[in-house]
Amino acid sequence: MTDLKKGLTYADAGVNIDAGNRLVDMIKPLVRATARAGAGAEIGGFGGLFDLKAAGFKDPVLVAATDGVGTKVKIAIEANIHNGIGIDLVAMSVNDLVVQGAEPLFFLDYFACSKLDPEAAAIIVAGVAEGCRESGCALIGGETAEMPGLYKEGDYDLAGFAVGAAERGTLLPTPDIAEGDAVIGLASSGVHSNGFSLVRKIVERAGLGFDAQAPFSPVMTLGGALLTPTKLYVKSCLRAIRETGAVKGLAHITGGGFTDNIPRVLPAHLGVRIDLAALTVLPVFKWLAAEGNIAELELLRTFNCGVGMIAIVKPDGVQHVMEVLRDAGETVTLLGEVIATDGEPRVVYDGHLDLAL
């Protein structure tokens, strides 16, 4: 007798095409809500389209950025809180665009998992759509990948890709950054999306679950507090750039903190002097520093410590820039100034952070 083996399907291998199609149908309204001039924000084709002319650009330079959210997704998975992680994904790329003076135009996301749960994935994509709306960019496409065997059940990862544009000659940083320019800090919303491998190690050492009350916030769980979405600085910074003409450079404070990120926008012969006493350290960083016994310089090179964006500003434009940023909803602080330097360190710190709990 012939031994007939059952014919296998893709679903038998762990990939459900119908689930993927259901997810696309679920998120189409979310995607349409991100439509803007230049993009209709419709998905389902093989590529997304964007019309630069319709967006009002005459002689544009395109600027592109890509990023993920790192091991912050592990906390989202373990805490079962997924509604803000999509905002993080958008923020990490669009904040990198605006530091170059570019307006974000469109965004694409990549979602990879072991087994696709359309309802759970739709929550994540809803966050991506919200981040796009808040940044004024269209979500014009993406990719969902089921990869059983590569990811453990329940795990997922995210990547994002953003493209923006600026008119030729308006890109940041400007070439005239000089000694004496002011350094302004824009407050962060929390840990943002950097340093979470260290955060998770500290939480493990503390013996806390993500459902426990946050030691630094009596009204939040630890997981909820740590998952506060990354702040989106696009609209406020674009407004300051366009309305004041005094912004010479911006630095997104991500991995590497102040120490590594600020020099990226400065000429080789310049650095900055930062008054640490002027910086308002958020309670989450005070707790992390104490629980992890983190040295001050390590803290400044790992986390944003309460400042997620730095602006380099003409001295005579400081007040105007700060007024515009505050009017746009930012909390801003004058932190220091640009200084001459003949080598390392490029970032010089005065005083100390207030880490008292």
Side-chain angles (χ1 to χ4, degrees):
M1 180 181 292
T2 303
D3 184 15
L4 297 176
K5 293 184 178 180
K6 177 193 174 199
L8 293 175
T9 67
Y10 211 1
D12 291 328
V15 179
N16 189 332
I17 295 174
D18 291 334
N21 291 335
R22 187 162 76 253
L23 173 62
V24 171
D25 289 337
M26 292 173 66
I27 66 177
K28 278 184 176 179
L30 302 172
V31 173
R32 291 190 191 109
T34 71
R36 54 153 292 159
E42 189 67 46
I43 59 171
F46 287 96
L49 304 177
F50 194 91
D51 187 340
L52 281 168
K53 186 175 180 180
F57 288 91
K58 297 179 176 61
D59 185 19
V61 176
L62 293 179
V63 183
T66 183
D67 210 338
V69 295
T71 58
K72 189 172 186 176
V73 295
K74 288 291 290 180
I75 296 179
I77 292 165
E78 292 179 31
N80 195 28
I81 301 172
H82 308 285
N83 56 317
I85 205 77
I87 297 175
D88 286 300
L89 184 66
V90 175
M92 293 306 292
S93 285
V94 297
N95 285 344
D96 279 354
L97 294 184
V98 78
V99 300
Q100 300 191 69
E103 174 187 341
L105 301 177
F106 59 86
F107 189 86
L108 300 99
D109 68 305
Y110 175 79
F111 175 84
C113 61
S114 173
K115 180 178 176 58
L116 181 62
D117 179 341
E119 287 72 23
I123 293 172
I124 296 169
V125 177
V128 174
E130 182 180 346
C132 286
R133 286 196 307 272
E134 290 185 26
S135 304
C137 66
L139 178 58
I140 66 170
E143 177 67 15
T144 301
E146 276 188 295
M147 293 187 280
L150 184 59
Y151 291 93
K152 293 189 297 184
E153 186 162 350
D155 280 357
Y156 65 85
D157 198 11
L158 300 167
F161 312 86
V163 174
E167 293 291 356
R168 195 175 305 276
T170 66
L171 289 170
L172 297 181
T174 61
D176 61 341
I177 294 178
E179 185 178 358
D181 285 339
V183 178
I184 294 173
L186 284 66
S188 68
S189 55
V191 186
H192 286 183
S193 296
N194 300 101
F196 272 89
S197 294
L198 178 56
V199 169
R200 289 167 48 242
K201 195 169 188 66
I202 292 170
V203 171
E204 181 183 0
R205 176 190 282 190
L208 295 173
F210 292 114
D211 58 350
Q213 178 184 309
F216 48 87
S217 175
V219 297
M220 299 186 76
T221 64
L222 180 58
L226 292 173
L227 289 169
T228 300
T230 304
K231 187 167 180 56
L232 293 153
Y233 296 101
V234 171
K235 290 187 175 178
S236 60
C237 286
L238 284 177
R239 183 175 165 188
I241 291 166
R242 293 166 177 172
E243 291 187 15
T244 71
V247 178
K248 293 186 175 185
L250 295 167
H252 186 197
I253 306 304
T254 55
F258 287 4
T259 306
D260 289 351
N261 284 295
I262 298 176
R264 294 169 67 181
V265 301
L266 298 174
H269 66 288
L270 295 175
V272 295
R273 183 179 296 276
I274 301 292
D275 178 9
L276 294 180
L279 199 156
T280 300
V281 181
L282 298 179
V284 60
F285 298 114
K286 295 183 179 184
W287 178 76
L288 289 169
E291 191 67 36
N293 192 27
I294 305 172
E296 186 177 62
L297 289 178
E298 181 70 14
L299 200 69
L300 288 161
R301 200 182 182 196
T302 305
F303 300 114
N304 68 64
C305 297
V307 171
M309 184 72 76
I310 289 286
I312 309 296
V313 178
K314 295 177 182 178
D316 60 0
V318 171
Q319 291 307 314
H320 191 193
V321 170
M322 292 180 74
E323 286 171 8
V324 170
L325 289 171
R326 285 176 178 142
D327 190 57
E330 301 292 351
T331 299
V332 295
T333 306
L334 181 61
L335 293 179
E337 65 177 358
V338 175
I339 60 173
T341 179
D342 56 3
E344 300 295 336
R346 301 283 301 285
V347 179
V348 177
Y349 299 110
D350 283 339
H352 294 282
L353 295 170
D354 177 8
L355 296 175
L357 290 168

